[in-house]
Amino acid sequence: MRGNSLRWWPAALVVVVAAAVTAAAAGDHNFHRDFDAVWGKGNARFQDGGRMVELTLDEQTGARLQSKDRFLFGRFDLEIKLVRGESAGTITSFYICSGGARHDEVDFEFLGNVSGEPYLLHTNIFSDGKGEREQQFVLWFDPTADFHTYSILWNPHNIILYIDGTPIRVFKNNEAYGVAFPTRQPVHVFASIWNAEEWATQGGRVKTDWSRAPFVATYRRYNVTNACVWDATAGASRCAGGGWMSQRMDWWSWMTLNWVRMNYMAYDYCADRKRFPHRFPAECIIPIGRT
Ligand SMILES: *[C@@H]1O[C@H](CO)[C@@H](O)[C@H](O)[C@H]1NC(C)=O
Ligand SMILES: *[C@@H]1O[C@H](CO)[C@@H](O)[C@H](O)[C@H]1NC(C)=O
């Protein structure tokens, strides 16, 4: 008995300490402290002590926030309420990107629309500088009426994009089949709003109506409780949280993902025969084993 309780002591202590750290970090999101406004500084308005931020697009500029920390793997969550009413030509985004010539990047880009017409969610994944992996979705809710949680989970096994906890896209680590997967380059987290009227709304046919500016998107509840923070000096990362590093799609996740694909997918590069008349990219055709 005595031997047992002694042996259990250290484990119990570790659990308690880990729980305390997680609890502190979980409630501790702050855009003002954790991000730099790297573009359009005046159009990033921090509120609620930095826990919320409004990014504004007007005729002069948009705005972009970049996380001070870099991460090598992580689960990145935040809540966004998109531009209300007329939003054609605007793009509101949340993404991770390594920068560099052969960059890795995972994108959520919300393409605005004329008043009353739905937003289009454009996603893309770059690995080792190669992108062209677009998937687009319509949403099953009005993203301008309230906040919704958008998440990027990135671990050595897969990248999963979630909306309110529902997986909408998976990019598996298929390095074994010669498809580059991001595992080496630390990323910054970005949030931005910008004008892309040349291509965004209905293929660029609808232009931004500047008489309706400023266009405002609101972000809150940035959460990187579960992530590995990159330490450039040490050339290594410090990881926090448990479980997420080995998280993969289970049976229920595939069921819900297929529900999204069947009902809300607007475009999939892996199904675009016009674009790939001879051969789809490797990750579209290799036996990816949906298990
Ligand atoms: C952050 O996310 C983790 C799980 O990924 C969760 O346990 C925690 O409650 C979240 N914190 C906040 C403030 O939402
Ligand atoms: C805007 O609305 C039209 C009509 O419903 C739709 O076809 C389009 O995908 C929507 N989004 C964009 C960005 O054009």
Side-chain angles (χ1 to χ4, degrees):
M1 267 311 260
R2 200 182 145 80
N4 261 346
S5 50
L6 270 180
R7 241 184 293 133
W8 282 109
W9 239 101
L13 198 63
V14 166
V15 169
V16 170
V17 170
V21 169
T22 307
D28 197 19
H29 52 278
N30 194 306
F31 288 100
H32 200 197
R33 184 195 59 204
D34 299 339
F35 286 81
D36 293 315
V38 290
W39 175 57
K41 196 175 168 69
N43 279 11
R45 282 199 299 270
F46 299 99
Q47 294 176 348
D48 189 16
R51 298 160 72 84
M52 193 157 99
V53 63
E54 285 181 357
L55 299 185
T56 299
L57 170 68
D58 57 34
E59 247 178 306
Q60 276 72 49
T61 185
R64 182 183 309 117
L65 300 181
Q66 173 183 305
S67 65
K68 290 179 180 162
D69 280 333
R70 286 194 293 165
F71 304 91
L72 190 65
F73 303 117
R75 183 188 168 116
F76 312 93
D77 298 321
L78 51 71
E79 292 188 5
I80 313 174
K81 188 153 84 172
L82 297 172
V83 175
R84 265 205 106 114
E86 181 66 35
S87 60
T90 70
I91 296 194
T92 304
S93 76
F94 160 42
Y95 60 104
I96 56 175
C97 183
S98 65
R102 308 177 67 139
H103 70 294
D104 298 323
E105 179 173 331
V106 180
D107 296 314
F108 272 100
E109 294 186 313
F110 299 89
L111 280 56
N113 219 328
V114 288
S115 200
E117 295 299 332
Y119 262 84
L120 190 64
L121 168 58
H122 179 92
T123 68
N124 203 353
I125 294 174
F126 291 74
S127 53
D128 200 22
K130 189 191 173 304
E132 301 188 313
R133 299 194 174 105
E134 300 86 357
Q135 286 188 359
Q136 297 181 333
F137 304 86
V138 288
L139 301 167
W140 51 92
F141 52 85
D142 175 1
T144 71
D146 211 341
F147 287 94
H148 290 268
T149 306
Y150 304 95
S151 313
I152 298 170
L153 172 83
W154 169 39
N155 66 27
H157 305 291
N158 44 212
I159 293 165
I160 309 178
L161 274 56
Y162 297 91
I163 298 178
D164 294 329
T166 298
I168 61 155
R169 174 165 192 179
V170 185
F171 183 69
K172 291 181 70 165
N173 184 336
N174 280 313
E175 276 188 316
Y177 297 92
V179 181
F181 186 85
T183 54
R184 284 170 286 274
Q185 309 190 77
V187 300
H188 287 283
V189 180
F190 294 89
S192 70
I193 187 165
W194 48 290
N195 178 38
E197 60 186 346
E198 293 312 318
W199 68 278
T201 307
Q202 295 169 33
R205 277 177 286 127
V206 182
K207 302 298 175 200
T208 306
D209 179 358
W210 292 111
S211 75
R212 307 290 282 273
F215 304 102
V216 182
T218 313
Y219 293 70
R220 71 177 190 190
R221 293 202 181 145
Y222 172 61
N223 187 349
V224 279
T225 308
N226 298 314
C228 303
V229 179
W230 179 251
D231 179 342
T233 322
S237 56
R238 219 167 356 94
C239 299
W244 67 272
M245 255 296 201
S246 55
Q247 193 172 325
R248 298 174 204 231
M249 297 285 287
D250 56 12
W251 180 84
W252 178 248
S253 303
W254 281 119
M255 293 299 287
T256 46
L257 181 105
N258 284 332
W259 169 79
V260 172
R261 289 179 59 94
M262 265 161 32
N263 295 291
Y264 300 100
M265 192 168 217
Y267 177 80
D268 182 8
Y269 75 112
C270 279
D272 190 342
R273 290 198 177 278
K274 274 206 215 104
R275 193 166 154 199
F276 303 105
H278 304 300
R279 194 182 159 84
F280 283 119
E283 70 273 16
C284 302
I285 53 178
I286 52 185
I288 53 173
R290 293 193 166 183
T291 51

